[in-house]
Amino acid sequence: MLRKGTAATTGLWLVSVGVHLGLSLWVDHVAGVGVLGGVSLYAYLAIGLGTQNPLVRSRSTAL
């Protein structure tokens, strides 16, 4: 199966993770709760990658 992702896709993923990481550090600093931002980052990655997996699988079985 061919991938549709390009270097731009990879770059945008890295930027989005970086922004999310920065926001999580800021939230932890402002709220003073410790791990809320880190948990949010893990949830973001799990939901994003977990959604992509079935989509790619369904595309590959259609071929």
Side-chain angles (χ1 to χ4, degrees):
M1 179 174 163
L2 296 175
R3 296 180 184 180
K4 292 185 179 183
T6 63
T9 305
T10 303
L12 289 172
W13 258 102
L14 292 174
V15 166
S16 69
V17 169
V19 168
H20 211 93
L21 179 62
L23 286 173
S24 72
L25 292 173
W26 178 73
V27 165
D28 287 346
H29 176 71
V30 170
V33 292
V35 296
L36 180 63
V39 170
S40 171
L41 178 62
Y42 287 133
Y44 169 72
L45 289 173
I47 291 168
L49 296 174
T51 303
Q52 284 182 2
N53 188 25
L55 292 175
V56 171
R57 283 182 182 264
S58 68
R59 287 182 187 164
S60 66
T61 57
L63 296 176

